[in-house]
Amino acid sequence: MPARKLYFEGLRVGDELPALAKAPIDRVQLSRYAGASGDFNPVHVDEVYAKSVGMPSVYAPGMLVMGMLGQLISDWARGGQLRRYHVRFIKMVWPGDTVVCKGRVSDRHGEGGRYFVDVELWAENQRGELVMKGNSTIQLFYSLEDENRQRAGQSPIVVEVPRESLLQASAAHAAEEPEEDDERRAASMSGKKTTGSKPAAKTATAPAASQAPAAAKKATKK
């Protein structure tokens, strides 16, 4: 059975990626990652040294968690091309922590036969605390027909797709809020009850791009 493919026409802003829950971090994994990446910083593998510099124990390298988020996006975007991958480290991950990787489509646009989606990414520990944030850009074929045409050496299907994003959705909601506030204020003065307004959509940030190293994915556990 052929691997599932992802196409631009089937994606919408706000679509969520299937969460990826990793096995709890252990010291064996930290040692394996050190060997795979060549990063033998003792704070990640030497318990005595880690405690001597004030840490309660060894802790996971940030690049290990980056590799886990990288696995989430690469497993989801099969058939696509990773154009950008950027992360920001938020909180340390310790032995025994379970990392859950999540994401959602935050932006989509297409022009001249090239189609892109931006995905905001984040990782949480077992307590629901944010340990890493990130984002990536994926280039996709518009559809199966578009892929077949291009692989046959023909021109791509061209559909002009205006940029759609969570930022736009948030701005549109914010523009409506004053009217809702006025309505609620008037109702309050007249003693009438009003229904609650919908919560504002979350927004995604787009920091500068950086290239994710291939070694970061080698020691992640399924």
Side-chain angles (χ1 to χ4, degrees):
M1 182 176 181
R4 173 186 58 84
K5 290 288 187 74
L6 194 69
Y7 295 108
F8 182 85
E9 66 174 354
L11 294 176
R12 296 294 179 267
V13 169
D15 287 353
E16 296 188 357
L17 281 60
L20 174 65
K22 306 297 291 186
I25 301 291
D26 60 32
R27 289 164 176 77
V28 173
Q29 183 180 18
L30 298 184
S31 296
R32 292 173 61 192
Y33 179 83
S37 66
D39 179 6
F40 292 97
N41 189 326
V43 296
H44 303 310
V45 294
D46 188 331
E47 193 84 11
V48 175
Y49 177 84
K51 291 182 177 179
S52 74
V53 296
M55 296 296 175
S57 73
V58 295
Y59 59 92
M63 299 298 288
L64 175 59
V65 183
M66 183 179 182
M68 294 174 179
L69 270 181
Q71 181 184 349
L72 172 70
I73 191 67
S74 62
D75 285 352
W76 175 77
R78 291 178 180 174
Q81 300 180 49
L82 182 64
R83 294 303 189 188
R84 180 173 61 89
Y85 179 40
H86 176 274
V87 301
R88 181 161 61 91
F89 307 109
I90 306 296
K91 192 178 184 67
M92 287 183 175
V93 174
W94 305 94
D97 281 353
T98 299
V99 176
V100 181
C101 302
K102 302 179 180 181
R104 65 174 176 176
V105 176
S106 60
D107 188 292
R108 69 191 295 272
H109 59 97
E111 183 179 3
R114 303 177 70 199
Y115 307 96
F116 301 90
V117 293
D118 291 344
V119 181
E120 64 174 1
L121 304 163
W122 67 95
E124 303 171 354
N125 61 21
Q126 69 276 12
R127 293 178 293 277
E129 299 168 335
L130 188 67
V131 299
M132 180 172 287
K133 290 182 66 177
N135 51 74
S136 66
T137 299
I138 308 295
Q139 182 176 352
L140 298 162
F141 292 110
Y142 184 82
S143 61
L144 176 60
E145 180 186 358
D146 183 39
E147 179 180 9
N148 290 337
R149 284 173 58 90
Q150 293 195 51
R151 294 196 183 284
Q154 301 175 21
S155 59
I157 292 177
V158 177
V159 179
E160 300 303 318
V161 182
R163 184 177 293 272
E164 305 168 15
S165 71
L166 293 177
L167 290 172
Q168 291 175 344
S170 178
H173 180 84
E176 296 174 357
E177 283 185 345
E179 296 181 4
E180 294 178 355
D181 291 343
D182 291 342
E183 179 185 350
R184 184 175 300 165
R185 190 178 301 110
S188 176
M189 293 175 64
S190 64
K192 296 179 180 179
K193 293 183 179 181
T194 60
T195 58
S197 58
K198 296 181 181 179
K202 296 180 180 179
T203 61
T205 58
S210 63
Q211 184 66 32
K217 297 176 63 178
K218 292 185 179 179
T220 56
K221 296 172 71 177
K222 295 183 178 180

